[in-house]
Amino acid sequence: MIDLLLGLQWGDEGKGKIVDVLTNKYDIIARFQGGPNAGHTLEFEGNKHVLHTIPSGIFHDAAINLVGNGVVIDPVIFKKELEKLEPYNLDLRNKLLISRKAHLILPTHRLLDQASEAAKGSAKIGSTLKGIGPTYMDKTGRNGIRIGDIEAPDWKEKYRSLTDKHLQMIENYRVEVQFDLKTLENEFFEAIETLKQLQFIDSEHYLEKQQRQSKKILAEGAQGSLLDIDFGTYPFVTSSNTTAAGACTGLGIAPNRIKNVIGIFKAYTTRVGSGPFPTELFDQDGETLGRVGNEFGATTGRPRRCGWLDLVALKYAITVNGVTELNMMKADVLSGFKTIKVCTHYKYKGELIDHLPFDVDEKYVEPVYEELKGWNADLTGMRDVNELPTELHDYVTYLEKALEVPITIVSVGPDRTQTLFRNS
Ligand code: IMP
């Protein structure tokens, strides 16, 4: 049985926290797309951990964590993540498995990302500059180097020829990118040796075998549905399929094996990087959401743009993913607002619509809001849904009705214990 856990907005919904909370129910946690552009934050026992490539089930003894074929891996960042795990004495050789078909991010992929963004000028995507786009380009261009390749003795020849090609491409961009390739390569090859200490596996076969043994698998998404390469706000998106279908191709699992699709969303909306964001706030309310919600990118530290919840976009994400249950994050951040706004429709080229149009551009799209009553209570110490203020209950019920999917978790803080389960 396979469940999916996906972000329904522009990323940073709190997927890492929920995977960590739910891991006890699963035998295997598997990442299926993206790379170290992700920053999954987990908090427990007074400690905060940010994971970039390693799945969020790593701190649970019983769970196997798998980095699937759809993921792109930067060995240098991966090594740093492994070093941060050292104090926990985890049996990583047996707990952390890597698909041979996952692609490698080379140092020059990162440089290409920089060059490409610099060349775009004001049209830049706001990439995390981790080399994600260029690595997926090499994957689909059939030039990429995969984890399984580094087991072959002559893989460095392949590396050299791809790197030479990248250097030529960087020159062609005619922008200034400063780098010291020797240092980057020393760091890279050292990290490759660290990576080799882990188990590389044919993960699609592995997962098939585990399913035959009735093991429970949770596929952990990264980024959000609105950053999906096909269904997101293109071109301001990431380079992988962040939606449910990505779990099939990114792990080699059949669609009919998927049971629950858990959709994670914040009680409001945030976005980091460029691109359309119809409900974005530029006023005091937006500033409050950012400050109270501590809205800074876990990977880049950039301030996130903030706005009210957008039901038009959320419904779209629910449909594309086939979401069966919803988890609402960061409800505590809305405490103190007299009124809470929810976008129910867009005014699009003069017409009232309730679906996401092709061009979600502020030139054409104006959000239409409904107002709900806010609450003023500190939720962070609450441990039972029945303690929540009536207005928050009303907010949740209103959303369930509008979205036609049950909300099974309301999160009231970053810690594991601040997770309230609802039996709706
Ligand atoms: P890239 O995938 O690093 O090239 O970034 C492309 C776009 O996706 C940029 O707007 C990034 O800010 C955004 N992005 C990438 N990864 C994340 C994430 O994990 N959370 C939120 N936004 C992300």
Short mmCIF file of all heavy atoms in Angstrom, two decimals, residues 9-13 15 31 34-40 52 113 117 124-134 136 222-224 226-227 235-240 270-275 297-300 302 304-305, ligand 1:
data_model
loop_
_atom_site.label_atom_id
_atom_site.label_comp_id
_atom_site.label_asym_id
_atom_site.label_seq_id
_atom_site.Cartn_x
_atom_site.Cartn_y
_atom_site.Cartn_z
N GLN A 9 0.59 24.03 -2.39
CA GLN A 9 0.74 25.44 -2.76
C GLN A 9 2.08 25.63 -3.49
O GLN A 9 2.38 24.87 -4.40
CB GLN A 9 0.59 26.29 -1.50
CG GLN A 9 -0.83 26.20 -0.93
CD GLN A 9 -0.93 26.59 0.52
OE1 GLN A 9 -0.09 26.19 1.34
NE2 GLN A 9 -1.95 27.36 0.89
N TRP A 10 2.85 26.66 -3.10
CA TRP A 10 4.14 26.89 -3.77
C TRP A 10 5.30 26.38 -2.93
O TRP A 10 6.36 26.99 -2.89
CB TRP A 10 4.30 28.37 -4.10
CG TRP A 10 3.56 28.80 -5.33
CD1 TRP A 10 3.90 28.52 -6.62
CD2 TRP A 10 2.39 29.62 -5.39
NE1 TRP A 10 3.00 29.10 -7.49
CE2 TRP A 10 2.08 29.79 -6.76
CE3 TRP A 10 1.58 30.22 -4.43
CZ2 TRP A 10 0.98 30.54 -7.18
CZ3 TRP A 10 0.50 30.96 -4.85
CH2 TRP A 10 0.20 31.11 -6.21
N GLY A 11 5.09 25.29 -2.22
CA GLY A 11 6.15 24.74 -1.39
C GLY A 11 6.11 25.32 0.01
O GLY A 11 5.32 26.21 0.32
N ASP A 12 6.95 24.75 0.88
CA ASP A 12 7.09 25.22 2.27
C ASP A 12 5.80 25.09 3.08
O ASP A 12 5.56 25.86 4.00
CB ASP A 12 7.58 26.69 2.31
CG ASP A 12 8.78 26.90 1.43
OD1 ASP A 12 9.72 26.10 1.54
OD2 ASP A 12 8.78 27.83 0.61
N GLU A 13 4.97 24.12 2.74
CA GLU A 13 3.70 23.95 3.45
C GLU A 13 3.89 23.29 4.81
O GLU A 13 3.03 23.37 5.68
CB GLU A 13 2.72 23.09 2.62
CG GLU A 13 2.30 23.71 1.30
CD GLU A 13 3.23 23.30 0.17
OE1 GLU A 13 4.26 22.63 0.45
OE2 GLU A 13 2.96 23.64 -1.00
N LYS A 15 5.57 19.92 4.85
CA LYS A 15 5.54 18.48 4.54
C LYS A 15 6.47 17.69 5.46
O LYS A 15 6.11 16.62 5.94
CB LYS A 15 5.96 18.25 3.08
CG LYS A 15 5.01 18.88 2.07
CD LYS A 15 5.52 18.71 0.65
CE LYS A 15 6.69 19.59 0.32
NZ LYS A 15 6.42 21.03 0.26
N ARG A 31 11.45 9.66 -1.13
CA ARG A 31 11.41 10.92 -1.88
C ARG A 31 11.37 10.58 -3.37
O ARG A 31 12.08 9.69 -3.82
CB ARG A 31 12.68 11.74 -1.60
CG ARG A 31 12.62 12.67 -0.40
CD ARG A 31 11.95 14.01 -0.67
NE ARG A 31 12.46 14.75 -1.80
CZ ARG A 31 13.42 15.67 -1.73
NH1 ARG A 31 13.98 15.96 -0.58
NH2 ARG A 31 13.81 16.32 -2.82
N GLY A 34 12.64 16.29 -7.23
CA GLY A 34 13.31 17.45 -6.67
C GLY A 34 14.70 17.09 -6.17
O GLY A 34 15.20 15.97 -6.40
N GLY A 35 15.30 18.04 -5.50
CA GLY A 35 16.65 17.80 -4.99
C GLY A 35 16.89 18.71 -3.81
O GLY A 35 15.94 18.99 -3.06
N PRO A 36 18.10 19.20 -3.65
CA PRO A 36 18.38 20.03 -2.48
C PRO A 36 17.85 21.45 -2.58
O PRO A 36 18.21 22.31 -1.77
CB PRO A 36 19.91 20.01 -2.40
CG PRO A 36 20.36 19.75 -3.78
CD PRO A 36 19.31 18.92 -4.45
N ASN A 37 16.99 21.71 -3.56
CA ASN A 37 16.24 22.97 -3.54
C ASN A 37 15.20 22.91 -2.42
O ASN A 37 14.71 23.92 -1.94
CB ASN A 37 15.56 23.27 -4.90
CG ASN A 37 14.83 22.09 -5.49
OD1 ASN A 37 14.92 20.97 -5.01
ND2 ASN A 37 14.09 22.33 -6.56
N ALA A 38 14.87 21.69 -1.99
CA ALA A 38 13.89 21.51 -0.91
C ALA A 38 14.54 21.78 0.44
O ALA A 38 15.74 21.62 0.61
CB ALA A 38 13.37 20.08 -0.93
N GLY A 39 13.72 22.19 1.39
CA GLY A 39 14.20 22.35 2.76
C GLY A 39 13.08 21.87 3.67
O GLY A 39 12.11 22.59 3.89
N HIS A 40 13.18 20.65 4.15
CA HIS A 40 12.11 20.10 4.99
C HIS A 40 12.52 20.22 6.46
O HIS A 40 13.51 19.63 6.89
CB HIS A 40 11.84 18.64 4.60
CG HIS A 40 11.20 18.53 3.24
ND1 HIS A 40 10.96 17.35 2.61
CD2 HIS A 40 10.75 19.49 2.42
CE1 HIS A 40 10.38 17.59 1.44
NE2 HIS A 40 10.26 18.89 1.30
N HIS A 52 17.42 18.33 3.18
CA HIS A 52 17.29 18.81 1.80
C HIS A 52 17.03 17.67 0.82
O HIS A 52 16.20 17.78 -0.07
CB HIS A 52 18.54 19.59 1.40
CG HIS A 52 18.76 20.80 2.25
ND1 HIS A 52 17.97 21.92 2.15
CD2 HIS A 52 19.63 21.06 3.25
CE1 HIS A 52 18.37 22.82 3.03
NE2 HIS A 52 19.37 22.31 3.72
N ASP A 113 23.12 27.03 -13.59
CA ASP A 113 21.92 27.62 -12.99
C ASP A 113 22.15 29.12 -12.78
O ASP A 113 21.30 29.96 -13.14
CB ASP A 113 21.65 26.95 -11.63
CG ASP A 113 20.18 26.63 -11.40
OD1 ASP A 113 19.36 27.00 -12.25
OD2 ASP A 113 19.86 26.00 -10.37
N GLU A 117 20.18 32.12 -14.82
CA GLU A 117 19.38 33.11 -14.10
C GLU A 117 19.90 34.52 -14.38
O GLU A 117 19.11 35.44 -14.64
CB GLU A 117 19.41 32.84 -12.60
CG GLU A 117 18.45 31.77 -12.12
CD GLU A 117 17.00 32.23 -12.04
OE1 GLU A 117 16.35 32.28 -13.10
OE2 GLU A 117 16.51 32.51 -10.93
N LYS A 124 14.04 36.61 -14.30
CA LYS A 124 14.58 35.43 -13.59
C LYS A 124 13.49 34.71 -12.79
O LYS A 124 12.53 35.34 -12.33
CB LYS A 124 15.76 35.81 -12.72
CG LYS A 124 15.41 36.62 -11.52
CD LYS A 124 16.62 36.82 -10.65
CE LYS A 124 16.12 37.46 -9.38
NZ LYS A 124 16.98 38.05 -8.50
N ILE A 125 13.70 33.39 -12.62
CA ILE A 125 12.70 32.55 -11.95
C ILE A 125 12.81 32.68 -10.43
O ILE A 125 11.86 32.42 -9.70
CB ILE A 125 12.92 31.09 -12.42
CG1 ILE A 125 12.35 30.95 -13.83
CG2 ILE A 125 12.27 30.08 -11.50
CD1 ILE A 125 12.85 29.79 -14.59
N GLY A 126 13.99 33.09 -9.99
CA GLY A 126 14.21 33.11 -8.53
C GLY A 126 14.63 31.74 -8.06
O GLY A 126 14.29 31.32 -6.96
N SER A 127 15.37 31.04 -8.93
CA SER A 127 15.81 29.69 -8.61
C SER A 127 16.63 29.67 -7.33
O SER A 127 17.27 30.66 -6.97
CB SER A 127 16.68 29.17 -9.77
OG SER A 127 17.36 28.00 -9.39
N THR A 128 16.63 28.51 -6.66
CA THR A 128 17.47 28.35 -5.47
C THR A 128 18.94 28.19 -5.87
O THR A 128 19.80 28.12 -5.00
CB THR A 128 17.04 27.10 -4.66
OG1 THR A 128 17.20 25.96 -5.51
CG2 THR A 128 15.60 27.19 -4.20
N LEU A 129 19.19 28.12 -7.17
CA LEU A 129 20.56 28.01 -7.73
C LEU A 129 21.29 26.75 -7.27
O LEU A 129 22.51 26.75 -7.12
CB LEU A 129 21.38 29.26 -7.41
CG LEU A 129 20.79 30.60 -7.87
CD1 LEU A 129 21.69 31.76 -7.47
CD2 LEU A 129 20.59 30.61 -9.39
N LYS A 130 20.53 25.70 -7.05
CA LYS A 130 21.16 24.44 -6.63
C LYS A 130 21.46 23.52 -7.81
O LYS A 130 21.80 22.36 -7.64
CB LYS A 130 20.24 23.70 -5.63
CG LYS A 130 19.92 24.49 -4.39
CD LYS A 130 21.14 24.66 -3.50
CE LYS A 130 20.82 25.52 -2.30
NZ LYS A 130 22.00 26.07 -1.64
N GLY A 131 21.24 24.03 -9.02
CA GLY A 131 21.56 23.21 -10.20
C GLY A 131 20.44 22.27 -10.62
O GLY A 131 20.66 21.35 -11.42
N ILE A 132 19.26 22.49 -10.09
CA ILE A 132 18.15 21.57 -10.33
C ILE A 132 17.75 21.56 -11.82
O ILE A 132 17.71 20.50 -12.45
CB ILE A 132 16.92 21.97 -9.47
CG1 ILE A 132 17.30 22.11 -7.99
CG2 ILE A 132 15.75 21.01 -9.68
CD1 ILE A 132 17.80 20.88 -7.32
N GLY A 133 17.45 22.75 -12.36
CA GLY A 133 17.02 22.85 -13.76
C GLY A 133 18.03 22.24 -14.72
O GLY A 133 17.69 21.35 -15.51
N PRO A 134 19.30 22.66 -14.66
CA PRO A 134 20.29 22.10 -15.58
C PRO A 134 20.45 20.57 -15.45
O PRO A 134 20.69 19.89 -16.44
CB PRO A 134 21.58 22.84 -15.20
CG PRO A 134 21.10 24.15 -14.65
CD PRO A 134 19.82 23.84 -13.94
N TYR A 136 18.07 18.37 -14.53
CA TYR A 136 16.92 17.74 -15.20
C TYR A 136 17.00 17.93 -16.72
O TYR A 136 16.53 17.09 -17.48
CB TYR A 136 15.60 18.29 -14.65
CG TYR A 136 15.16 17.63 -13.34
CD1 TYR A 136 15.12 18.37 -12.16
CD2 TYR A 136 14.79 16.30 -13.29
CE1 TYR A 136 14.72 17.79 -10.97
CE2 TYR A 136 14.39 15.70 -12.09
CZ TYR A 136 14.35 16.45 -10.94
OH TYR A 136 13.96 15.86 -9.76
N ALA A 222 8.25 16.97 -2.66
CA ALA A 222 9.02 18.18 -2.34
C ALA A 222 8.48 19.31 -3.20
O ALA A 222 7.81 19.07 -4.20
CB ALA A 222 10.50 17.95 -2.61
N GLN A 223 8.78 20.55 -2.81
CA GLN A 223 8.18 21.73 -3.44
C GLN A 223 6.64 21.63 -3.35
O GLN A 223 6.15 20.93 -2.48
CB GLN A 223 8.64 21.92 -4.89
CG GLN A 223 10.10 22.34 -5.03
CD GLN A 223 11.07 21.17 -4.96
OE1 GLN A 223 10.89 20.17 -5.61
NE2 GLN A 223 12.10 21.32 -4.15
N GLY A 224 5.93 22.30 -4.24
CA GLY A 224 4.47 22.27 -4.14
C GLY A 224 3.85 22.09 -5.50
O GLY A 224 4.52 22.24 -6.54
N LEU A 226 1.95 23.91 -7.23
CA LEU A 226 1.94 25.06 -8.12
C LEU A 226 3.34 25.37 -8.67
O LEU A 226 3.54 26.31 -9.43
CB LEU A 226 1.35 26.28 -7.42
CG LEU A 226 -0.10 26.07 -6.94
CD1 LEU A 226 -0.58 27.25 -6.12
CD2 LEU A 226 -1.05 25.82 -8.09
N LEU A 227 4.31 24.52 -8.27
CA LEU A 227 5.66 24.62 -8.84
C LEU A 227 5.91 23.45 -9.79
O LEU A 227 7.03 23.25 -10.27
CB LEU A 227 6.72 24.62 -7.73
CG LEU A 227 6.81 25.90 -6.88
CD1 LEU A 227 7.76 25.69 -5.69
CD2 LEU A 227 7.30 27.08 -7.71
N PRO A 235 6.46 29.94 -16.55
CA PRO A 235 7.74 29.25 -16.34
C PRO A 235 8.30 29.39 -14.92
O PRO A 235 9.43 28.97 -14.68
CB PRO A 235 8.65 29.96 -17.35
CG PRO A 235 8.14 31.37 -17.36
CD PRO A 235 6.65 31.27 -17.16
N PHE A 236 7.54 29.97 -14.02
CA PHE A 236 8.05 30.17 -12.65
C PHE A 236 7.77 28.93 -11.82
O PHE A 236 6.93 28.93 -10.91
CB PHE A 236 7.41 31.43 -12.04
CG PHE A 236 7.71 32.66 -12.87
CD1 PHE A 236 6.78 33.18 -13.75
CD2 PHE A 236 8.95 33.26 -12.78
CE1 PHE A 236 7.07 34.29 -14.53
CE2 PHE A 236 9.26 34.37 -13.55
CZ PHE A 236 8.32 34.89 -14.43
N VAL A 237 8.44 27.88 -12.16
CA VAL A 237 8.21 26.56 -11.56
C VAL A 237 9.55 25.88 -11.35
O VAL A 237 10.58 26.39 -11.78
CB VAL A 237 7.33 25.69 -12.50
CG1 VAL A 237 5.92 26.23 -12.60
CG2 VAL A 237 7.96 25.58 -13.90
N THR A 238 9.53 24.71 -10.74
CA THR A 238 10.74 23.92 -10.66
C THR A 238 10.76 22.95 -11.85
O THR A 238 9.87 23.01 -12.71
CB THR A 238 10.86 23.22 -9.29
OG1 THR A 238 12.17 22.68 -9.17
CG2 THR A 238 9.81 22.14 -9.07
N SER A 239 11.74 22.06 -11.91
CA SER A 239 11.91 21.28 -13.15
C SER A 239 11.43 19.84 -13.04
O SER A 239 11.83 19.00 -13.85
CB SER A 239 13.37 21.31 -13.56
OG SER A 239 13.76 22.64 -13.80
N SER A 240 10.61 19.54 -12.04
CA SER A 240 10.12 18.16 -11.91
C SER A 240 8.60 18.17 -11.72
O SER A 240 8.01 19.22 -11.49
CB SER A 240 10.78 17.47 -10.72
OG SER A 240 10.52 18.17 -9.51
N THR A 270 2.09 31.22 0.90
CA THR A 270 3.39 31.86 0.74
C THR A 270 4.02 31.42 -0.57
O THR A 270 3.65 30.38 -1.13
CB THR A 270 4.39 31.51 1.88
OG1 THR A 270 4.67 30.11 1.85
CG2 THR A 270 3.88 31.92 3.23
N ARG A 271 4.96 32.21 -1.01
CA ARG A 271 5.71 31.85 -2.22
C ARG A 271 7.11 32.43 -2.09
O ARG A 271 7.26 33.58 -1.65
CB ARG A 271 4.99 32.41 -3.46
CG ARG A 271 5.77 32.23 -4.71
CD ARG A 271 5.01 32.40 -5.99
NE ARG A 271 5.79 31.64 -6.97
CZ ARG A 271 5.40 31.31 -8.17
NH1 ARG A 271 4.23 31.67 -8.61
NH2 ARG A 271 6.18 30.61 -8.96
N VAL A 272 8.11 31.66 -2.47
CA VAL A 272 9.46 32.19 -2.49
C VAL A 272 9.95 32.16 -3.93
O VAL A 272 9.64 31.23 -4.66
CB VAL A 272 10.37 31.43 -1.48
CG1 VAL A 272 10.48 29.97 -1.80
CG2 VAL A 272 11.75 32.03 -1.38
N GLY A 273 10.62 33.22 -4.35
CA GLY A 273 11.03 33.30 -5.76
C GLY A 273 10.01 34.10 -6.55
O GLY A 273 9.02 34.60 -6.01
N SER A 274 10.25 34.21 -7.86
CA SER A 274 9.38 35.06 -8.68
C SER A 274 8.14 34.30 -9.15
O SER A 274 8.00 33.11 -8.93
CB SER A 274 10.13 35.53 -9.94
OG SER A 274 11.50 35.63 -9.71
N GLY A 275 7.24 35.05 -9.81
CA GLY A 275 6.07 34.41 -10.43
C GLY A 275 4.77 34.88 -9.84
O GLY A 275 4.73 35.50 -8.77
N GLY A 297 12.96 31.29 3.64
CA GLY A 297 13.26 30.01 2.98
C GLY A 297 14.22 29.15 3.79
O GLY A 297 15.24 29.65 4.27
N ALA A 298 13.88 27.85 3.94
CA ALA A 298 14.73 26.93 4.71
C ALA A 298 16.02 26.62 3.96
O ALA A 298 17.02 26.24 4.56
CB ALA A 298 13.97 25.65 5.01
N THR A 299 16.02 26.79 2.65
CA THR A 299 17.22 26.48 1.86
C THR A 299 18.03 27.73 1.57
O THR A 299 19.24 27.72 1.64
CB THR A 299 16.80 25.78 0.55
OG1 THR A 299 16.17 24.54 0.89
CG2 THR A 299 18.00 25.49 -0.35
N THR A 300 17.34 28.83 1.25
CA THR A 300 18.06 30.03 0.81
C THR A 300 18.03 31.16 1.84
O THR A 300 18.78 32.12 1.71
CB THR A 300 17.41 30.57 -0.47
OG1 THR A 300 16.04 30.83 -0.19
CG2 THR A 300 17.51 29.57 -1.62
N ARG A 302 15.82 33.30 2.01
CA ARG A 302 15.11 34.46 1.43
C ARG A 302 13.76 34.66 2.10
O ARG A 302 13.08 33.67 2.44
CB ARG A 302 14.84 34.21 -0.06
CG ARG A 302 16.07 34.21 -0.92
CD ARG A 302 15.71 33.94 -2.37
NE ARG A 302 15.23 32.58 -2.58
CZ ARG A 302 14.84 32.11 -3.77
NH1 ARG A 302 14.84 32.89 -4.82
NH2 ARG A 302 14.44 30.87 -3.89
N ARG A 304 9.90 34.96 2.41
CA ARG A 304 8.83 34.46 1.54
C ARG A 304 7.78 35.54 1.36
O ARG A 304 7.51 36.31 2.28
CB ARG A 304 8.19 33.21 2.15
CG ARG A 304 9.16 32.07 2.28
CD ARG A 304 8.50 30.85 2.91
NE ARG A 304 9.47 29.79 3.12
CZ ARG A 304 9.55 29.05 4.23
NH1 ARG A 304 8.71 29.23 5.22
NH2 ARG A 304 10.47 28.12 4.34
N ARG A 305 7.18 35.56 0.19
CA ARG A 305 6.04 36.46 -0.06
C ARG A 305 4.82 35.82 0.62
O ARG A 305 4.68 34.60 0.62
CB ARG A 305 5.82 36.56 -1.58
CG ARG A 305 7.04 37.12 -2.30
CD ARG A 305 7.14 36.66 -3.75
NE ARG A 305 6.05 37.13 -4.57
CZ ARG A 305 5.82 36.68 -5.81
NH1 ARG A 305 6.59 35.74 -6.34
NH2 ARG A 305 4.82 37.17 -6.51
P1 IMP B 1 14.64 25.78 -8.57
O1 IMP B 1 13.86 24.52 -8.56
O2 IMP B 1 15.66 25.83 -7.47
O3 IMP B 1 15.26 26.11 -9.89
O4 IMP B 1 13.63 26.97 -8.27
C1 IMP B 1 12.53 27.24 -9.13
C2 IMP B 1 11.43 27.95 -8.36
O5 IMP B 1 10.90 27.05 -7.39
C3 IMP B 1 11.89 29.18 -7.58
O6 IMP B 1 10.83 30.10 -7.54
C4 IMP B 1 12.14 28.63 -6.18
O7 IMP B 1 12.03 29.62 -5.18
C5 IMP B 1 11.04 27.60 -6.08
N1 IMP B 1 11.39 26.50 -5.19
C6 IMP B 1 12.23 25.47 -5.44
N2 IMP B 1 12.27 24.63 -4.39
C7 IMP B 1 11.44 25.13 -3.47
C8 IMP B 1 11.01 24.67 -2.17
O8 IMP B 1 11.41 23.62 -1.68
N3 IMP B 1 10.11 25.46 -1.52
C9 IMP B 1 9.61 26.60 -2.08
N4 IMP B 1 9.96 27.05 -3.27
C10 IMP B 1 10.86 26.32 -3.97
#
